Structures are given as C-alpha cells and as structure tokens.
Amino acid sequence: MIGVELFTDWHTWAEAEPELRSLVPPATGDAVGQAVSFAVRWHGDQRRPTGAPYLEHLLEALEVLVAAVLHDVVEDTGCTVAEVRESFGDEVASLVEWATIPDAPDAGTAADRKSVKEAYLAGLVAAPDNAVLVKLADRASNVQTLRNLGPSKQREYYAQTVKYIMPLAASRAWFAQWYASWQEAHRDLA
C-alpha cells in the first residue's frame, strides 16, 4: 500500500461534526447530522470487510466531499494550500492542491497560462483516485455551461476536456457515461 493516500481523519461523527459545521450553513450541518444519524441507525455495529466500523467509511467519503467544496479556494482566491491544511488537515489540503491549476510564472502570456494548464491537466493521470474524482466533478460542473463562453473558448475547453478529462473518467462508469453524453451533445465543437 505504499504511495496510497488514505483518508481516515474522521473516525467518528464527534470528530467530524465540529469541523464540518464550521464549513457549512447551520441547515446544511443539521442535514448532514441527520444523514449520519440515519446511517448509524441502519448500519449499527456493522463492520467493513477490513473490520473497521462502517461509519468510518462514510466519514472518509464525506472528507472527500469537503475537498470538493474547497477545490477552487486556492486557485481563485488569495487562500493558500497551507491555510487549507491548517483548517482541514493534510488529506483535504492534498486533494485541493491536486485540483488547483498552478499559476503561470510571472503571470505569463495567454500562451504561457495555456501551457501551464495543459501540463497540469496531463499530470492528473498521476493524481490519487479521490483527487481525480474531485476534478471530474469540478469539470462536469464547468462544462455544463460551456455554451455560455465565446466560440474559441468553447472549442479550447471542449478539446481539453476530451483530451485530458475523459480518459480519467473512462474507468469510472457513471462519469464515463456522463462525459460521453456531454461529448455527443457538444460534438460540433470538435
């Protein structure tokens, strides 16, 4: 298991709840708390095949979703990965870092920014699986409004999605199907 990133910071709801509630509106925190209570009621003392309590698995998945919520905070604001790490731990910070396109050196030209972005997208093949899931969800959200961009930007974003993102989706049935349908709907941009 060397090189496999584990997401196991939240073992109990008591550990997860305060951090989660600091991130979301009270009604959302209440809804997640209700969902955890519901899951605990149904799973009870059930254990995973590894022997770990089932709730640990559910909370690990929740941690990945927190990273999905934070995926643009470093890229699009003045927030740093270090600040994310301080607030949410190493695992969430690592996912956010994978989801962040690096800045072009010295703000660069449009060609420099495009080159940096394409190098970043090409590097996602080495990303941990949960980071890929965050990126797939991020791009799925972005490409739903592709038609709102100018024609040249539509073609560029379409080409990047087909070249770099769709191969990442290929081994994930739901995403593969969703992106194939999206590609078909936008085939005029090829």
Side-chain angles (χ1 to χ4, degrees):
M1 294 253 282
I2 294 173
V4 174
E5 187 172 8
L6 301 177
F7 296 84
T8 56
D9 280 356
W10 293 348
H11 298 281
T12 67
W13 179 236
E15 292 171 348
E17 183 178 19
E19 192 172 337
L20 182 75
R21 284 191 179 273
S22 73
L23 302 172
V24 299
T28 303
D30 292 346
V32 173
Q34 183 180 0
V36 168
S37 294
F38 186 87
V40 166
R41 182 166 47 110
W42 282 96
H43 288 291
D45 293 331
Q46 183 181 13
R47 299 244 172 217
R48 305 269 295 149
T50 62
Y54 210 87
L55 181 60
E56 281 188 20
H57 164 64
L58 304 175
L59 295 175
E60 289 165 8
L62 181 60
E63 193 171 25
V64 172
L65 294 178
V66 168
V69 170
L70 298 172
H71 79 273
D72 273 340
V73 74
V74 173
E75 186 174 316
D76 295 336
T77 75
C79 183
T80 66
V81 172
E83 289 170 309
V84 172
R85 183 171 286 108
E86 183 179 316
S87 296
F88 304 104
D90 289 337
E91 290 82 6
V92 170
S94 175
L95 290 176
V96 169
E97 190 167 26
W98 273 105
T100 301
I101 300 169
D103 291 330
D106 301 322
T109 65
D112 291 338
R113 288 189 296 276
K114 182 179 179 184
S115 175
V116 167
K117 183 176 185 177
E118 294 214 0
Y120 158 77
L121 291 170
L124 287 172
V125 298
D129 193 55
N130 286 331
V132 170
L133 292 174
V134 170
K135 184 46 91 175
L136 290 172
D138 170 31
R139 185 56 72 112
S141 173
N142 290 339
V143 298
Q144 290 180 83
T145 58
L146 184 65
R147 299 288 186 189
N148 295 342
L149 301 173
S152 66
K153 193 67 172 167
Q154 286 181 38
R155 282 184 171 67
E156 179 181 324
Y157 212 71
Y158 173 88
Q160 286 175 345
T161 301
V162 170
K163 182 175 182 178
Y164 300 110
I165 302 299
M166 289 185 66
L168 297 173
S171 64
R172 296 157 178 90
W174 186 89
F175 279 113
Q177 182 179 3
W178 189 90
Y179 276 102
S181 174
W182 171 85
Q183 182 181 24
E184 177 63 24
H186 293 81
R187 70 178 179 262
D188 61 294
L189 298 175

